[in-house]
Amino acid sequence: MSFFKFDEEKVVSGFELVAEGKYEAIVLNAVAGKTQKGEDKITLDYEIRSDVPQKHQGAKIMFDTFTFSNEIAAGIVQSLLKATGFANGHPFQSPQDMANQLIGRSLQITVKHEEYEKLVDGKKEKRTSAKAKYYDKSVVNPPQSPGAPITVGSDDLPF
């Protein structure tokens, strides 16, 4: 028995680079860690919201890394926190606490393309990725969280 069988008819296509522009997004994942220099960092992944009419719904913008190592880096983090709706003076106990509190927050991100080189089979290849570069407050309502479960009893059924 094989682990996986290739079926050409089931190939998923349509993955495309997210176009540059502004998008309503949600923080899908956030993880604290350390840089190679041992400094604190957080890394965020965003999802372009599917509940808002816009292109690239459901697309992911991955690996947005923030450090706290200097005034400019800390200012960028401050911009992110403002865009995600934290109150002025809100305390965070640790980078992981900040990461945990960011998950699920909505904001507007400005996506820009970034070129880089990747080594593939011993050759450098140019690649382009979509990266979040600027952060603003969302201009739409936050996603609705599901309410309490609805219980339907036999008395509620028409049959």
Side-chain angles (χ1 to χ4, degrees):
M1 177 178 222
S2 66
F3 157 71
F4 189 85
K5 184 177 178 181
F6 172 65
D7 186 341
E8 192 173 281
E9 292 181 20
K10 295 181 180 177
V11 170
V12 177
S13 60
F15 292 103
E16 62 182 303
L17 184 65
V18 173
E20 291 185 332
K22 286 191 173 197
Y23 297 94
E24 290 291 335
I26 191 164
V27 178
L28 186 64
N29 191 34
V31 179
K34 299 282 186 185
T35 66
Q36 290 179 344
K37 293 181 181 179
E39 297 169 343
D40 289 322
K41 71 174 183 175
I42 58 171
T43 303
L44 305 183
D45 299 332
Y46 309 98
E47 181 175 331
I48 296 175
R49 288 177 51 181
S50 296
D51 62 329
V52 176
Q54 59 186 338
K55 290 185 176 186
H56 303 289
Q57 290 180 330
K60 312 292 188 284
I61 305 295
M62 311 282 284
F63 310 117
D64 194 10
T65 301
F66 299 86
T67 62
F68 310 87
S69 58
N70 60 55
E71 193 174 318
I72 293 172
I76 294 169
V77 173
Q78 299 288 359
S79 297
L80 172 72
L81 296 175
K82 182 177 180 179
T84 52
F86 285 98
N88 190 32
H90 183 88
F92 297 97
Q93 303 306 314
S94 66
Q96 188 61 56
D97 179 45
M98 180 183 287
N100 292 343
Q101 290 188 50
L102 280 163
I103 294 172
R105 296 271 181 156
S106 56
L107 72 160
Q108 192 177 77
I109 58 174
T110 299
V111 171
K112 296 286 186 184
H113 290 166
E114 221 176 63
E115 288 192 356
Y116 64 97
E117 289 185 347
K118 182 175 183 174
L119 198 59
V120 178
D121 296 329
K123 296 180 188 176
K124 286 185 179 180
E125 291 185 5
K126 284 196 174 197
R127 301 281 174 102
T128 302
S129 64
K131 294 289 186 182
K133 291 295 182 181
Y134 305 101
Y135 315 94
D136 295 296
K137 287 186 177 184
S138 177
V139 295
V140 298
N141 291 330
Q144 296 296 318
S145 60
I150 298 172
T151 304
V152 178
S154 59
D155 294 338
D156 299 315
L157 300 175
F159 47 88

